[in-house]
Amino acid sequence: MQKFQIRYTFNQRLNFMMSIIIVLMGIIVLRFFYLQVIQYDFYKTKSISNSLRTIPIASLRGIIYDRNKQVLAENRLIYNLEINPEDNLNLDEVKNRLAKIIHITDTDISNYKKLVKNNIYATSLPIKIDLSAEETAHFVAHQFQFPDISILQRQERFYPFGELSSHAVGYINRINSKDIQDIKNKNLESKYNGVNHIGKTGIEYFYEDIIHGRPGYQRVEVNAQNDIFRIIEEIPPINGDNISLTIDIRLQEKIVKKFENKKGAFVAIDVNNGEILSYVSQPSYDPNLFINGINFDAWDQLNNNSTKPLLNRVIAGLYPPGSTLKPFIALSGIENNLRRPPFAIEDPGFFQMPGAKKIFRDWKKGGHGHVDIIKAIAVSCDTFFYGLGLELGMTKMNRTLSQFYFGEQTGLDLAGEKKGLLATPKWKQKTYKKPWYGGETAITAIGQGFTQVTPIQLAYATALLANPKLNKKPHLLLYSTKKELTDIDQKPPAINPASLKTIYQGMEDVTQDGGTAAFIGKKSKYKIAAKTGTAQVFGLAQGEEYDEDTLPEHLKDHALFIAYAPAEKPKVAVAVIVENGGHGSSAAGPIAKTFFDHYFEEF
Amino acid sequence: MDITNLIIKLKKIDQLLIGLLCLIIIVGLFTVASSEKLAQSIIMAQLINIFVGVSSMLLIILSDPKKIFSLAPLIYLLSLFLLVLVQFFGYEVNGSQRWLNLGLMKFQPSELLKVTLPLALAWLYHINESKISWKTHIVAILIILIPFMLILIQPDLGTALMISFIALSIIFCAGLSIKLIGWGVIILLLSSPFIWNSLESYQQSRILTMFDPFSDALGSGYQTIQSMIALGSGGLIGKGWNNAQQTFLEFLPEASTDFIFAVFSEEFGFIGVIAILSIYFLFLLRCNFMISRMQDTFSRLLSLGLIVSIFLGLIINLGMISGLLPIVGVPLPFFSYGGTSMVVSLISIGIIMNLYINKTLIAN
């Protein structure tokens, strides 16, 4: 016992205890020094980010008008019920609660789930979009029962003309993960803060940067409950530009009516400035379905429909041009000093390949008799063009055709334009590993064979033919409040005007007595220059007869028609394609005539 | 007790200690005022706490030390009784039953043990002064174990560990064999895995997040992180009084009580921290000086236990807000808002002063 006290006195033990306390206090001081002096910057940043929030303020998308100020796309005020995905609410329970006062379905819930997946940073997403006035009133009256659900006013895109405008105007949709990647690649994140929608197709996509605008934001200080404590700065949003398009939607409406239920495309271009006056692709779809993510059934119905309503036929529909190619082949002949009038042939109704047994038939049994190049266009004489084509050869034909932008993009202001195809022996060797035959040159001259064109190419080529001085690309944007139309200049074809006179004569004769579309010109107050065409969908074996009445609908020929008017002083050029429409003049011609009639009525 | 005697006694009060104490309490009061939106009401409440504390302290200073000595076992038993009462009549805060409601004020009996346990132990070693043996230590261990278990089942691990550490420091200074202490430490280390397993899961997660608070920034690491942000963003010179963003934007939890010093650190920076800790340090040195002047075992051990109690509270509190220790509800003595802590701490200082003034009385 005595031992303890002898070994260490109380005061020694006391001092030991005190030393421990002092050492621990020293450690605390070092710790404070580390946090407050050495790591000051780190914690200062933390402290600021703790309480600073940026709240985006959405910008309004620009309105899209047609050339007569008809609204094609606008913003409509709607009421949504929205919840915060971070709340992790039980969706079934939310649905059951809401179902007592409003109409809500499983589709709404599954749409919401899809949104959550695609919008990982969103703090408010709609569980029910566009409440009716009645539902809005109902919900507001019961709001107190739903503290976790808010009713919010949103601007929603609306396309008043629906199907009528969809292929030109396109639509917007919710931003998905692929869009986010695009936005990041283009370094446009700041323009899309708090923005839910983006242009997906058509004009909405192509002019996204000017229609979209720029969202503003509020920088606020919040407390730990995320309540706003004070507003530090506020940058107002810049709304998107309103734009006007070159199309006349009312006129387009009449064209669509004329199509009835047929598939096809119609394009009208002002030959003096390249403005696209009508842009029709049939069948079409309602763009309003897409705005908040289309539901699966509707998508399935559109996407797997045999009539392909989603296909933008004007720029992405590929068709054999048929006889509508003949004026251009004829032009190639004259430019190359072949078949200039008064050169003529006697047409027996068929063409025999020189040095071969192969016979190419004319569409008319017994032939057209005495045919010069003008008549060859007017009556669409195949025999004449077989010979011309063979004599010209692919190189010379293609050189002329590519001057009219066949086989190339016309460069209009829409995405997804197809190039079409001007075939060459080299191309065939590469694609099919087979040599080129002379007969293929012959049928290329009448627009069959491998050649493929889009309706916009046909219309633009016709416009260039009617006015070879046209040095603008075809385009849909008439004007925007900000953007000037700058990059629409295009090199016009280098064609001798004298050569064209012969072609004009042939095309004018098409709508005169004896021409393939004589009935179109009969009662017309103005003169129409045109060319009909019939493109085979279905290859007939040698000697087989084409019988329109017994052939199934989808194997019937495509009807084509190109035209410009008035013939003396061309104002507008058109191209019409009616899929499986049969003969060019009877199925496609009247649609062009309808357009011209209404168009010239207004002048 | 006549007036002259009373004045003589008051004159003997250690002025340096009182001065340092006043400084700490005043700075604490200002910090508490800046930690709440309704400053007026919290200042009033804290002033009442201080008033009750200072009155109790004076009462203790002026009382007869022999009475304190003779009442020690009784006081200890009374505090045990209150701990038992808590089990039946206490009410729960945050899942543990720690508080007794005495109508006008609520208090934590476990806080009382920080005074009554040293009292009991000092008394025990004093009466056995000449014949301290292993039996005395066994009794001492029993005296510790009963309240330890009662506090542990509340459950309040922090306070339980704290009072046992205070008690052990008393036993150590009473002359426990160093060899025995060595064995004790080894046994403690060996049994630590079992202790870990017996901890509640919230206690485990608190200890784990201590090592990396950012691993669970919104869960159990949240308080530590917010506190460290408050400290760190205060920097060298601080953001100024009443300008603690972490506090008025309500990111800092328990700003006026357990985390009061985080508020202070954000407002006055490292320089302010050094200033306050220097005052505490001088306070400690002064107490050390006073204890070393004491003559008898009771005074020495009791004073030592009380001062260890106060400074252990300080170390745990500052370690906790700076992310060195897990979050346990230990207030900063003299500084945090709260009645029990303030009154108990001031009573402790009152006892030390009394024993210092009367350092020759008990020995005889």
Side-chain angles (χ1 to χ4, degrees):
Chain A
M1 168 56 245
Q2 283 291 319
K3 258 195 317 193
F4 301 129
Q5 258 130 19
I6 289 164
R7 206 178 277 171
Y8 297 106
T9 64
F10 171 77
N11 275 347
Q12 280 173 318
R13 289 180 184 243
L14 172 70
N15 287 338
F16 179 72
M17 285 308 297
M18 290 298 157
S19 313
I20 290 178
I21 291 175
I22 290 167
V23 167
L24 291 176
M25 281 176 77
I27 292 173
I28 300 258
V29 168
L30 287 178
R31 176 68 174 175
F32 272 73
F33 179 77
Y34 174 72
L35 291 177
Q36 298 198 283
V37 180
I38 294 175
Q39 289 215 301
Y40 169 64
D41 288 331
F42 173 76
Y43 285 107
K44 191 185 163 193
T45 319
K46 281 260 170 205
S47 150
I48 291 167
S49 66
N50 226 351
S51 56
L52 278 192
R53 298 277 184 282
T54 303
I55 302 172
I57 310 168
S59 54
L60 270 184
R61 238 181 134 75
I63 297 169
I64 302 175
Y65 299 101
D66 84 340
R67 64 185 305 124
N68 300 318
K69 282 276 165 192
Q70 294 282 334
V71 174
L72 302 180
E74 64 184 339
N75 304 305
R76 199 167 51 118
L77 204 60
I78 58 161
Y79 288 93
N80 287 353
L81 294 184
E82 303 198 357
I83 59 178
N84 184 348
E86 287 168 11
D87 288 349
N88 282 321
L89 298 178
N90 176 347
L91 295 178
D92 287 333
E93 185 263 340
V94 167
K95 189 195 138 197
N96 290 338
R97 270 195 294 155
L98 281 173
K100 286 174 197 151
I101 57 163
I102 62 160
H103 179 72
I104 184 165
T105 63
D106 287 333
T107 316
D108 293 315
I109 302 296
S110 64
N111 282 345
Y112 171 80
K113 284 180 185 160
K114 221 191 296 172
L115 289 178
V116 172
K117 217 183 286 169
N118 283 326
N119 298 270
I120 33 176
Y121 299 118
T123 52
S124 184
L125 288 172
I127 187 122
K128 168 79 185 174
I129 291 166
D130 195 7
L131 294 178
S132 69
E134 204 177 320
E135 285 174 323
T136 307
H138 235 92
F139 182 83
V140 170
H142 292 83
Q143 169 82 72
F144 65 94
Q145 296 173 357
F146 302 95
D148 42 3
I149 302 171
S150 33
I151 182 160
L152 290 173
Q153 234 182 29
R154 296 281 190 196
Q155 296 282 346
E156 190 184 62
R157 203 62 160 166
F158 179 63
Y159 304 100
F161 285 95
E163 295 197 349
L164 215 53
S165 63
S166 54
H167 283 294
V169 174
Y171 54 80
I172 61 167
N173 199 341
R174 292 247 165 202
I175 292 176
N176 62 27
S177 42
K178 189 181 151 289
D179 299 323
I180 290 171
Q181 200 53 50
D182 285 350
I183 290 166
K184 277 188 185 153
N185 291 344
K186 291 180 194 156
N187 255 329
L188 292 174
E189 285 105 321
S190 67
K191 281 185 85 173
Y192 286 88
N193 272 334
V195 174
N196 295 324
H197 291 89
I198 191 167
K200 292 278 179 167
T201 65
I203 288 294
E204 290 272 35
Y205 171 79
F206 196 87
Y207 291 111
E208 170 72 17
D209 57 336
I210 58 173
I211 306 173
H212 171 69
R214 184 177 199 102
Y217 60 85
Q218 253 184 354
R219 276 164 72 76
V220 296
E221 196 169 25
V222 299
N223 66 13
Q225 283 79 44
N226 242 351
D227 299 326
I228 294 173
F229 186 73
R230 70 189 166 103
I231 296 169
I232 294 166
E233 75 172 318
E234 183 170 330
I235 305 290
I238 301 166
N239 291 337
D241 289 355
N242 297 340
I243 61 173
S244 289
L245 300 189
T246 55
I247 60 174
D248 177 342
I249 197 72
R250 291 292 174 202
L251 185 47
Q252 193 153 308
E253 195 171 11
K254 296 188 172 94
I255 309 282
V256 169
K257 212 171 269 170
K258 197 77 185 166
F259 261 90
E260 292 163 355
N261 288 325
K262 294 191 210 94
K263 297 174 285 173
F266 174 87
V267 190
I269 296 177
D270 188 319
V271 302
N272 293 310
N273 54 25
E275 289 173 7
I276 297 171
L277 303 167
S278 263
Y279 188 105
V280 174
S281 174
Q282 284 294 105
S284 188
Y285 58 90
D286 183 2
N288 294 305
L289 289 174
F290 286 86
I291 290 164
N292 282 301
I294 188 165
N295 68 53
F296 182 78
D297 290 341
W299 169 252
D300 190 54
Q301 210 167 26
L302 287 175
N303 198 35
N304 294 325
N305 194 318
S306 63
T307 65
K308 296 188 179 160
L310 293 175
L311 175 65
N312 196 335
R313 288 171 160 80
V314 174
I315 54 170
L318 292 171
Y319 303 91
S323 302
T324 56
L325 202 64
K326 283 174 183 164
F328 303 95
I329 301 296
L331 182 63
S332 182
I334 290 172
E335 285 278 286
N336 288 291
N337 272 322
L338 298 170
R339 309 291 194 272
R340 281 184 187 274
F343 176 92
I345 61 161
E346 290 303 321
D347 174 21
F350 60 86
F351 175 80
Q352 176 138 28
M353 283 283 287
K357 280 202 180 126
K358 177 113 179 161
I359 279 176
F360 291 97
R361 282 197 266 180
D362 194 281
W363 66 271
K364 192 177 176 187
K365 269 186 191 167
H368 302 278
H370 187 77
V371 180
D372 67 359
I373 197 163
I374 293 169
K375 189 179 172 188
I377 295 171
V379 301
S380 200
C381 175
D382 293 337
T383 312
F384 187 93
F385 281 97
Y386 290 134
L388 174 57
L390 274 177
E391 205 165 325
L392 275 169
M394 290 309 295
T395 314
K396 282 177 183 164
M397 273 195 285
N398 284 349
R399 193 185 299 147
T400 307
L401 290 175
S402 59
Q403 291 224 27
F404 289 87
Y405 294 92
F406 288 113
E408 283 173 37
Q409 289 182 339
T410 65
L412 88 166
D413 40 2
L414 287 179
E417 188 189 1
K418 290 263 167 71
K419 278 182 171 176
L421 176 67
L422 290 184
T424 61
K426 215 190 233 171
W427 168 85
K428 194 188 170 195
Q429 184 64 41
K430 208 172 143 194
T431 314
Y432 294 107
K433 309 267 181 280
K434 277 181 185 159
W436 186 269
Y437 301 112
E440 286 164 343
T441 309
I443 60 168
T444 301
I446 65 158
Q448 305 290 348
F450 298 110
T451 313
Q452 284 190 317
V453 300
T454 61
I456 187 75
Q457 279 175 331
L458 268 185
Y460 188 52
T462 310
L464 289 170
L465 197 68
N467 175 21
K469 291 199 196 84
L470 172 59
N471 59 354
K472 302 274 186 250
K473 292 175 187 170
H475 55 273
L476 281 164
L477 181 66
L478 190 59
Y479 57 83
S480 107
T481 43
K482 297 232 179 76
K483 184 169 174 154
E484 296 291 317
L485 291 173
T486 47
D487 51 350
I488 61 163
D489 286 347
Q490 183 127 288
K491 190 166 64 86
I495 299 293
N496 181 0
S499 317
L500 283 165
K501 282 212 173 109
T502 317
I503 311 302
Y504 291 159
Q505 186 60 54
M507 288 179 75
E508 282 167 30
D509 288 353
V510 169
T511 59
Q512 304 302 314
D513 278 340
T516 51
F519 74 98
I520 298 285
K522 247 172 205 157
K523 285 185 215 153
S524 186
K525 290 178 198 153
Y526 48 91
K527 208 174 190 183
I528 301 172
K531 182 71 197 80
T532 58
T534 307
Q536 285 173 10
V537 175
F538 170 63
L540 292 174
Q542 182 129 19
E544 209 175 337
E545 293 288 324
Y546 175 84
D547 185 352
E548 199 175 296
D549 298 329
T550 59
L551 212 60
E553 179 73 25
H554 70 277
L555 293 178
K556 281 183 185 169
D557 291 346
H558 293 332
L560 292 94
F561 193 82
I562 59 171
Y564 61 87
E568 304 81 6
K569 196 174 184 306
K571 281 197 171 115
V572 55
V574 303
V576 193
I577 286 172
V578 181
E579 287 181 22
N580 316 116
H583 195 268
S585 63
S586 55
I591 294 174
K593 184 69 166 54
T594 305
F595 173 83
F596 287 133
D597 283 350
H598 287 290
Y599 184 74
F600 293 125
E601 216 169 73
E602 288 169 22
F603 282 89
Chain B
M1 197 184 292
D2 57 73
I3 300 289
T4 39
N5 202 355
L6 198 135
I7 290 172
I8 291 166
K9 272 199 170 179
L10 281 179
K11 273 188 175 169
K12 279 185 184 165
I13 292 177
D14 193 86
Q15 284 165 4
L16 179 58
L17 201 65
I18 290 289
L20 294 169
L21 193 58
C22 284
L23 265 176
I24 294 171
I25 289 175
I26 287 167
V27 176
L29 187 63
F30 272 91
T31 313
V32 166
S34 75
S35 72
E36 289 277 324
K37 287 203 179 85
L38 300 166
Q40 234 168 351
S41 63
I42 198 165
I43 291 173
M44 281 313 293
Q46 182 73 337
L47 279 173
I48 291 170
N49 292 337
I50 293 168
F51 177 77
V52 173
V54 171
S55 310
S56 315
M57 182 178 78
L58 286 174
L59 218 65
I60 298 283
I61 292 173
L62 298 177
S63 60
D64 183 355
K66 282 181 179 159
K67 252 188 196 144
I68 297 176
F69 175 74
S70 53
L71 285 175
L74 204 67
I75 294 170
Y76 169 75
L77 289 174
L78 190 71
S79 65
L80 283 191
F81 175 69
L82 288 174
L83 269 186
V84 176
L85 269 191
V86 164
Q87 284 308 313
F88 298 104
F89 304 107
Y91 67 96
E92 275 192 34
V93 175
N94 299 332
S96 71
Q97 205 156 345
R98 300 177 186 176
W99 297 77
L100 265 188
N101 195 344
L102 299 183
L104 272 178
M105 66 186 283
K106 293 164 261 184
F107 86 117
Q108 282 178 280
S110 54
E111 286 288 317
L112 278 187
L113 263 295
K114 288 175 188 169
V115 176
T116 60
L117 189 59
L119 260 177
L121 289 172
W123 176 83
L124 175 75
Y125 283 109
H126 188 88
I127 58 167
N128 293 309
E129 200 169 10
S130 51
K131 45 184 193 305
I132 292 176
S133 67
W134 60 272
K135 280 178 195 160
T136 324
H137 293 314
I138 295 292
V139 176
I141 297 288
L142 273 177
I143 287 175
I144 300 163
L145 222 52
I146 297 165
F148 177 82
M149 295 313 290
L150 282 171
I151 295 171
L152 198 62
I153 56 174
Q154 284 182 351
D156 185 355
L157 181 68
T159 309
L161 286 176
M162 222 177 123
I163 63 149
S164 40
F165 188 87
I166 296 162
L168 287 175
S169 72
I170 294 171
I171 299 178
F172 167 72
C173 288
L176 187 63
S177 144
I178 302 294
K179 221 189 259 174
L180 226 63
I181 294 171
W183 280 113
V185 169
I186 289 167
I187 289 166
L188 197 73
L189 285 177
L190 288 178
S191 62
S192 57
F194 304 101
I195 295 173
W196 173 258
N197 283 333
S198 68
L199 290 179
E200 301 270 340
S201 63
Y202 82 94
Q203 290 165 334
Q204 289 181 349
S205 76
R206 274 180 182 181
I207 293 169
L208 284 180
T209 49
M210 180 183 79
F211 296 109
D212 182 15
F214 289 93
S215 68
D216 188 11
L218 292 174
S220 50
Y222 179 81
Q223 296 183 324
T224 308
I225 287 175
Q226 294 304 338
S227 173
M228 281 163 71
I229 291 173
L231 258 61
S233 66
L236 193 65
I237 55 170
K239 297 175 183 172
W241 186 63
N242 247 339
N243 211 3
Q245 268 160 309
Q246 282 289 103
T247 311
F248 66 66
L249 295 175
E250 295 160 44
F251 288 101
L252 196 66
E254 307 285 336
S256 58
T257 56
D258 292 354
F259 288 89
I260 190 66
F261 204 67
V263 179
F264 177 84
S265 308
E266 191 180 4
E267 289 179 337
F268 299 104
F270 186 62
I271 290 174
V273 170
I274 289 293
I276 287 296
L277 287 184
S278 303
I279 299 173
Y280 273 107
F281 182 65
L282 290 176
F283 188 87
L284 178 71
L285 291 185
R286 186 65 192 164
C287 289
N288 186 32
F289 168 80
M290 286 160 71
I291 296 169
S292 64
R293 290 298 186 85
M294 291 176 184
Q295 306 294 317
D296 60 290
T297 305
F298 179 71
S299 300
R300 285 168 161 181
L301 293 183
L302 178 53
S303 300
L304 172 95
L306 295 175
I307 212 68
V308 166
S309 160
I310 286 169
F311 278 84
L312 193 61
L314 175 132
I315 287 160
I316 292 176
N317 181 275
L318 298 190
M320 169 180 103
I321 67 163
S322 61
L324 287 175
L325 293 174
I327 305 291
V328 284
V330 174
L332 184 61
F334 308 121
F335 214 93
S336 287
Y337 169 74
T340 317
S341 161
M342 182 64 80
V343 172
V344 169
S345 303
L346 284 170
I347 285 176
S348 305
I349 297 305
I351 292 173
I352 294 172
M353 287 195 191
N354 180 311
L355 296 175
Y356 180 65
I357 294 168
N358 305 305
K359 51 186 172 289
T360 52
L361 267 177
I362 294 177
N364 307 326

